[in-house]
Amino acid sequence: MYKIYLSHNSIISSLGFNSETVVDNIKNEVSGISLIDDKTLYHNQFYGAMVDRNLLNKKFNAFQTEEVFTTLEKLMILSLMDVIVASKIKINASVGLIISTTKGNIDALDKKSKFPQSYAYLSRLGKALKTHFLFKTEPVIVSNACVSGILAISVAKRLIKEKMYKHVFIVSGDLVSNFVLSGFSSFQALSDLPCQPFSISRNGINLGEAISSILVTSNTNYLTKESVEILGDATCNDANHISGPSRSGEGLFRSVNAAIKEAEIKPQDIDYISAHGTSTVFNDEMEAIAFNRLGLQSVPLNSLKGYFGHTLGSSGLVETIVGMHSLNLNTLFFSKGFISLGVSKPLQIIDKTTYKKLDIFLKTSSGFGGANTALLLKSVS
């Protein structure tokens, strides 16, 4: 059997500038969400999680070249560099690059931006990262709303199985911007408090920034202590609504079912679920219905949105990485913000960080336009 693995990884967020620091903060139930009052960004105060710009520039300037990069590009370069250096893989024609994002350099459209509006094209990210790291092949841009992070893993898996590449690096990220804040505000989806996924008092999302990178490979020589094998993955679009999820959870139900079938496991083999858990009324209810239809209502489940908010196109990848560390540590992380169950179907929400022997976990994501993606991963340690 041709096995594909997730290996070296990096997270940059309000909780730290590497995966270990971020995971340690999550293990200690520390949230990176705070009340932000920045009139240059948004006209009202809002709860969110943003990367420290001063620290970003300090770290980036340590090796700055004459090239000029946007904030998102700097974050992606820092994150991806950590993974490339740690893996010791030489960039050649057998190494691919996937960039996962929802909005890319959308802040270039702001009239105050020092960058031309053409930087808002997603191809700009591809060009900037390819040139900086001297990739030999054209990057693949994955932009499918909030499932982009997991979908990028699915794409990388297929590229390796088709022997187009031996290794694929993925970097994923989005920024908290006026464009994004205004958009979610127009949906009345922003919470006026730190978010509370799956809780009865939940009233919307917090937006956040978490740029993440990972190595996808079939070569066991490049595995780390938290590496996992991809057992199965699937994507299903229920085409329910431009922004609202299916009320029956049909798309998520089908994607998880398909991933389980490919993995050749049973629902009871799943030790832990890392849900999308945006903290909106409709998303959390949809997931609860889907998980109950799948017979997964008793599996320990959390949402990580209470730690760094909804990070859009990066959410699936960053939460996958945290899940990988969860398996390695045999630790179920507290679903930050959860108080009391507020969905119509039973779920086993993780209400306290606890030790438990873990082997297989399910990561799910859902997004605008009816997109739903599922990923099953197994520890190799």
Side-chain angles (χ1 to χ4, degrees), residues 199-213:
S199 289
I200 193 168
S201 53
R202 70 186 187 280
N203 69 344
I205 71 169
N206 302 143
L207 290 169
E209 297 173 341
I211 283 67
S212 52
S213 301

Side-chain angles (χ1 to χ4, degrees), residues 268-286:
Q268 54 264 37
D269 294 326
I270 299 171
D271 298 308
Y272 153 62
I273 300 171
S274 176
H276 193 49
T278 62
S279 194
T280 61
V281 172
F282 293 124
N283 175 86
D284 294 10
E285 174 69 10
M286 177 276 289

Side-chain angles (χ1 to χ4, degrees), residues 133-149:
F133 289 105
L134 301 178
F135 277 90
K136 309 304 179 184
T137 58
E138 290 300 317
V140 175
I141 310 293
V142 175
S143 183
N144 188 12
C146 299
V147 306
S148 300

Side-chain angles (χ1 to χ4, degrees), residues 24-318:
D24 191 55
N25 274 314
I26 292 173
K27 186 179 180 181
N28 291 314
E29 302 181 2
V30 175
S31 175
I33 293 173
S34 63
L35 184 62
I36 298 172
D37 187 4
D38 183 349
K39 296 298 190 294
T40 65
L41 185 63
Y42 195 58
H43 56 85
N44 287 331
Q45 294 180 330
F46 66 95
Y47 279 94
M50 297 182 66
V51 175
D52 185 324
R53 298 300 194 264
N54 290 329
L55 185 55
L56 163 64
N57 289 326
K58 181 179 179 180
K59 287 181 174 292
F60 193 81
N61 289 340
F63 61 89
Q64 170 70 303
T65 66
E66 294 182 358
E67 298 171 283
V68 178
F69 296 103
T70 67
T71 297
L72 180 59
E73 290 161 6
K74 289 179 181 179
L75 286 164
M76 286 187 165
I77 287 170
L78 283 176
S79 177
L80 185 55
M81 178 173 288
D82 282 348
V83 177
I84 292 175
V85 170
S87 71
K88 298 181 180 178
I89 289 175
K90 183 178 180 181
I91 303 299
N92 54 40
S94 69
V95 179
L97 172 64
I98 296 177
I99 300 169
S100 165
T101 184
T102 300
K103 294 300 179 186
N105 291 316
I106 195 68
D107 51 325
L109 296 180
D110 193 308
K111 294 179 180 179
K112 301 175 184 177
S113 174
K114 65 179 182 180
F115 297 99
Q117 291 191 353
S118 61
Y119 273 49
Y121 290 115
L122 296 182
S123 58
R124 160 63 198 183
L125 283 177
K127 180 180 179 181
L129 270 63
K130 176 187 176 182
T131 301
H132 183 78
F133 289 105
L134 301 178
F135 277 90
K136 309 304 179 184
T137 58
E138 290 300 317
V140 175
I141 310 293
V142 175
S143 183
N144 188 12
C146 299
V147 306
S148 300
I150 299 184
L151 192 59
I153 296 173
S154 297
V155 173
K157 170 190 163 185
R158 284 155 178 76
L159 290 173
I160 293 174
K161 280 200 168 186
E162 292 297 324
K163 299 183 179 180
M164 293 183 67
Y165 299 110
K166 291 182 179 179
H167 315 284
V168 175
F169 289 102
I170 301 174
V171 60
S172 185
D174 277 296
L175 297 182
V176 173
S177 65
N178 178 264
F179 181 94
V180 174
L181 285 162
S182 299
F184 278 95
S185 177
S186 70
F187 289 134
Q188 298 182 322
L190 294 180
S191 175
D192 57 358
L193 295 169
C195 64
Q196 302 174 357
F198 297 104
S199 289
I200 193 168
S201 53
R202 70 186 187 280
N203 69 344
I205 71 169
N206 302 143
L207 290 169
E209 297 173 341
I211 283 67
S212 52
S213 301
I214 201 162
L215 170 66
V216 187
T217 183
S218 61
N219 191 329
T220 56
N221 292 324
Y222 295 95
L223 301 188
T224 61
K225 64 182 185 298
E226 69 274 3
S227 289
V228 293
E229 177 191 348
I230 302 174
L231 295 181
D233 67 284
T235 297
C236 178
N237 194 307
D238 55 43
N240 174 76
H241 187 269
I242 192 171
S243 61
S246 165
R247 300 297 188 264
S248 65
E250 188 64 27
L252 183 58
F253 171 81
R254 292 191 184 195
S255 62
V256 175
N257 242 349
I260 289 174
K261 183 177 180 180
E262 181 189 1
E264 297 182 339
I265 64 171
K266 299 177 181 178
Q268 54 264 37
D269 294 326
I270 299 171
D271 298 308
Y272 153 62
I273 300 171
S274 176
H276 193 49
T278 62
S279 194
T280 61
V281 172
F282 293 124
N283 175 86
D284 294 10
E285 174 69 10
M286 177 276 289
E287 288 193 272
I289 291 171
F291 291 139
N292 274 262
R293 291 178 62 188
L294 290 157
L296 298 173
Q297 63 270 20
S298 298
V299 178
L301 175 153
N302 70 11
S303 165
L304 296 170
K305 300 296 190 293
Y307 291 99
F308 28 59
H310 191 347
T311 58
L312 304 182
S314 186
S315 61
L317 183 58
V318 69

Side-chain angles (χ1 to χ4, degrees), residues 6-9 20 224-228 324-325 328 380-381:
L6 302 181
S7 183
H8 294 277
N9 55 85
E20 290 72 22
T224 61
K225 64 182 185 298
E226 69 274 3
S227 289
V228 293
M324 291 165 58
H325 286 264
N328 177 58
V380 297
S381 60

